[in-house]
Amino acid sequence: MLEWLSDNRASIAAVLILAMIGTFVWSIVIGRRQAKLTANDEVFGDPVRTKGGWYWAVCGVSALFLLWSYYSWGVGRAYFPNAANEMCQIAKLEEAVSPIKAALPIGSRYYKSTLLASRNSDQLDDLEAQLGGTVFADAEKSELLDVIGQVRELIANSSNPTNMGEEPKAELLSLAERLNDLSSDIAAGPHGLTPSDEALAQPKWGTTFTEIPILPITERGMLFDTASVEAAEIAAAFNKIRNKFPANDVLIDDIKTRIDALKEINESGEFDELDRADREDYVKAVERIFKRLDDGLIFPAAALEDVGTAIANLDAAASDAQGGLRYADALFFPGPGIVKSRTQCTEQGAARWLPKPTDVVATFARLANPDVENGGGYRGFPLLWWDWLPIADVIAFFIPDWIADVWPGEYASHGPDGTITPNFKDNLLAFAQGDVSLGYIPMLDGHIWDSLFRVLVALGLGIFLGVPLGLFMGVSRFFKSFFDPLIELYRPVPPLAWAPLILTIFGIHDDGKIFLLFMVAFAIMVISARTGASGVLLSKIRASHSLGASDGQIMWNVILPNAMPEILTGTRIAVGVCWGTLVAAEMLAGTTGVGFIENIARTVSDYELIWVTILIMGVLGLVFDLIMRWIIKRTIPWRGMG
Amino acid sequence: MADLVCENLSMTFTNPQTGAAVHALKDINFTLKKGELLSVLGPSGCGKTTLLNLIAGFINATDGYAKLGGKTIDAPGVERGMVFQQGALFEWLPVSRNVDFGLRMKKNNPEENVRLVERWLDIVGLQGFGDTPTYQLSGGMQQRVALARCLINDPEVILMDEPLGALDALTREKMQSLVLELWKETGKTIMIITHSVEEALLLGERLFVMAPRPGRVHKEYRLPFAERGLKESLREIKHDPYFSEVREEILTMIWDMEEEIMGRA
Ligand SMILES: Nc1ncnc2c1ncn2[C@@H]1O[C@H](COP(=O)(O)OP(=O)(O)O)[C@@H](O)[C@H]1O
Ligand SMILES: [Mg+2]
């Protein structure tokens, strides 16, 4: 069932999107009708005008869903399920011709040759200008000037069409012809091309981590795929062409010998260290420019014209061959489209980091599947499930080992026959370490539960210790003055700043994270309980005294209930802050938890997983808050009524 | 012989801003016999609340002492019940739990508590309101709860600081009758502070008019109206010529004091 749903996610999305468009339109119709009904009863600014209006909520949610679907290419995939594969083939062709385009003013502003000529000429000008201030002797200076002039000549020679040799000319011409042939092939259409079985057996778009099937599965795709192979060959041939001719060969040899001679003088002459370094730097700078020019990469602009025209033809042919896909691309695939890089095709723009709604649901379903052996859960651990927990482990959690250590007596040692008879102290140790069998209880399990457990334990400890301290701080000068500096010193530090230290001290397992969260919850609970306690009306306290209540009774029966609203509000804040801190702490270190999943997802750029964890956190945070709001409503209906 | 005796009772505060001494009370001397009803009247800031707080034991006198039944007062106690103007009910508890608060604090038998609560709710006219949260009651009913909560503890003296000050005129009149009834039925010593001259006259078997700076008892009256109020309607008493005469006299007195304060300020 799940399998089937997963495989048909594009069709499911297609139905859902239609339904959402219907809902969107319908909610607007209802909303407008309702607005007309009430228009005359309420003036602008009347708070009643914010009441109700569920249809606008429906409208907002469906709009959000549609926007999400659109920008994640969910709409595109739903109605053009093969588009990504075809766009991938087009991207292959694009990738294949990109080396040729890089040499032409297509995609960039200038010919590559133009850039080479102008940049190197500029640098030669700079060197010439510096020459006057160097330590070279006059004779050497004129020699260097000469060499620079020769390098300039090299550039000029290469740029002159009349100098160009017959061989590179013919090669360029033949490449242009091959490109034109390719264009006609593409224009002729995909006759007789059929996708291979291997290609048809590929998983559908988005159903695996690879996302886009790379082998062509349509005729049109086949056409572009085949073309891209030929284009790649043409590009390779193009890259090999060099603008070489005898006049430049002579010049190159001459420059080489003269530079070598200069280097020889630099090495053998008697110069002090600084001067030698200056001389060597200068000659090296000249040589570097020369080296860039000696392999014939500068072509006369006219020589590349034919290839440029052929590439333009090819682009036009490819664009025509795309047919309707061009419009689908423009309309339903916002962003730069699909790019082929080495081994895979990837979505670019919003679709890259915004997964499609159906994919998020599918990933969540995969994670939520408790069948860990068959690909469920995450890293061999379910998302949220249950398991049998040994009771002994629970007891061992609460009984520290040192209780056994301080128990009077000695641990048993092995007897003369090599056997060990455990005494009470040994048994106590086994108990404290959970080495006994006491049966099992069912217990929640999984990444989500681990995160929840950490928050709940830390929060429980924070409330249990923080509220009493806060209450005493609210009523006692000693408690207030003694503990205030301590708490105010650690509280303003962001919890995550403590994390590296605490994780080092307590280890990366639950202890450290629980302690970190405890610190957060404790400070919040102390402050809120204290505020609540010090806010008791004096007349209430005086009345209780006159009614014969003792200090302890007043604390428990008057101050605590009176501080309850602040304590509960504090708890609500603490839950939120703990939850936020926990996820961050789990991202720093650990092997389980929602934050851990996101951390791993981040390192492998699995955006679907990242979004799933974000949604889990959001939903759990919301659930926490709703529970707290419900508790507050139930327990302190008298809040603010005193 | 549970008389309330004040001798040379004085209270000096230091103004927290200026550090100057404020003579809130100076040499207060009086004896309140068991079962007497005393009302205290005076311009704002003349030390009425301070006097009551001293007797209740919330603060300690700088000089002199107050005694109840021969015992010097130095701390709050169940034998001196308090009724505040408002805000002293425990809003997180329902009416019955507010009323039996004192009994619960001394770990009284719970069954007896239930019986007593019922009886006292009956007396103050709140039968059937035991489970109502106090914040759902009107101001007058809340003060009835405060009265019941105080009386259920069976104190020897009841101290009230402007208990009816926040009520509307009609409710106020009903509550005045209730106070008189309770006074008659229980025979308690009651000391009631008010800023309403009429109320002071109606609820004062004895009446102190206090003057400020330093706070002192300026004039004392013995009046028949409280006794009469038990039998006659309060509204009729207000039309009595003697009532009007005393009222005018006291009003003039307080008016003059206020003038003097203004003049000095
Ligand atoms: N805690 C205090 N600290 C300083 N001055 C106080 C304090 N309590 C009362 N006072 C002063 O004592 C005087 C009497 O106050 P109070 O007894 O409240 O007057 P009343 O209740 O008659 O209006 C006032 O001037 C007041 O400012
Ligand atoms: Mg007062």
Side-chain angles (χ1 to χ4, degrees), chain B residues 28-245:
Chain B
I28 305 287
N29 287 293
F30 68 87
T31 301
L32 200 59
K33 293 220 175 55
K34 184 171 166 48
E36 276 187 325
L37 175 59
L38 167 72
S39 57
V40 179
L41 194 63
S44 183
C46 70
K48 305 183 293 289
T49 300
T50 306
L51 177 60
L52 208 72
N53 285 344
L54 281 171
I55 297 172
F58 299 142
I59 52 178
N60 285 316
T62 41
D63 205 5
Y65 57 82
K67 279 185 176 179
L68 180 63
K71 216 178 131 267
T72 307
I73 294 167
D74 55 2
V78 277
E79 71 281 0
R80 282 158 282 133
M82 284 292 297
V83 176
F84 292 91
Q85 181 171 7
Q86 65 184 145
L89 290 184
F90 307 126
E91 64 267 22
W92 52 91
L93 299 175
V95 168
S96 60
R97 307 277 284 171
N98 262 281
V99 173
D100 70 2
F101 187 84
L103 300 179
R104 285 190 287 123
M105 292 305 107
K106 63 179 187 200
K107 309 242 168 8
N108 216 29
N109 175 357
E111 280 157 36
E112 199 191 335
N113 288 359
V114 174
R115 238 191 35 245
L116 281 171
V117 167
E118 210 141 282
R119 197 183 121 214
W120 278 104
L121 284 185
D122 217 39
I123 292 175
V124 298
L126 283 177
Q127 48 277 72
F129 282 93
D131 295 329
T132 316
T134 56
Y135 58 84
Q136 288 179 3
L137 299 178
S138 67
M141 286 158 110
Q142 288 187 355
Q143 287 310 78
R144 286 168 197 260
V145 176
L147 276 172
R149 180 177 74 174
C150 169
L151 286 161
I152 203 171
N153 258 8
D154 197 26
E156 290 169 30
V157 182
I158 300 172
L159 307 168
M160 307 194 198
D161 192 353
E162 308 196 5
L164 313 182
L167 304 181
D168 64 274
L170 208 64
T171 317
R172 201 164 174 156
E173 208 172 287
K174 281 191 197 152
M175 290 296 288
Q176 287 164 352
S177 307
L178 178 67
V179 171
L180 285 178
E181 269 169 46
L182 290 173
W183 171 56
K184 181 72 191 170
E185 271 176 42
T186 59
K188 303 273 175 213
T189 315
I190 297 181
M191 183 171 168
I192 185 165
I193 288 177
T194 171
H195 56 237
S196 148
V197 180
E198 276 191 2
E199 189 168 281
L201 292 175
L202 288 171
L203 298 185
E205 195 188 13
R206 291 173 69 184
L207 167 62
F208 290 169
V209 179
M210 289 183 65
R213 303 191 184 194
R216 61 199 185 271
V217 178
H218 180 72
K219 188 156 187 196
E220 185 183 340
Y221 292 86
R222 279 187 180 274
L223 301 163
F225 307 117
E227 206 51 68
R228 279 173 58 186
L230 291 168
K231 288 156 278 171
E232 297 169 40
S233 112
L234 297 185
R235 225 162 298 163
E236 265 170 46
I237 297 176
K238 285 187 203 166
H239 291 120
D240 187 293
Y242 179 47
F243 186 95
S244 312
E245 189 193 316

